[in-house]
Amino acid sequence: MTQELCEAINQGDPSAFTKAAKRQMAGNTLRRDAVRLAMQGRSTIEEAMRISNQLDET
């Protein structure tokens, strides 16, 4: 959680948070970021798949 995201949350406007998060992700999807973390050993492939599949279902 960065300072920019904290400030966006505190604005009380969900779209402000969404815009700030998209800027920080720089075009990457959550799935790509999860795979990157797994490749770095900071997460597991199973966890990356669980989280990204969970989001696809909603």
Side-chain angles (χ1 to χ4, degrees):
M1 194 67 143
T2 64
Q3 183 67 32
E4 180 185 12
L5 290 177
C6 288
E7 290 171 4
I9 285 175
N10 289 328
Q11 286 181 13
D13 177 11
S15 67
F17 178 79
T18 301
K19 288 176 187 174
K22 283 182 180 180
R23 271 193 304 278
Q24 284 194 5
M25 292 298 289
N28 284 325
T29 63
L30 181 59
R31 181 172 287 162
R32 281 188 197 150
D33 201 43
V35 169
R36 179 186 61 80
L37 291 172
M39 290 175 64
Q40 292 175 346
R42 296 176 59 197
S43 184
T44 63
I45 292 294
E46 292 82 9
E47 182 66 4
M49 290 174 58
R50 184 184 73 79
I51 294 300
S52 63
N53 288 337
Q54 197 173 47
L55 292 173
D56 285 343
E57 293 173 6
T58 59

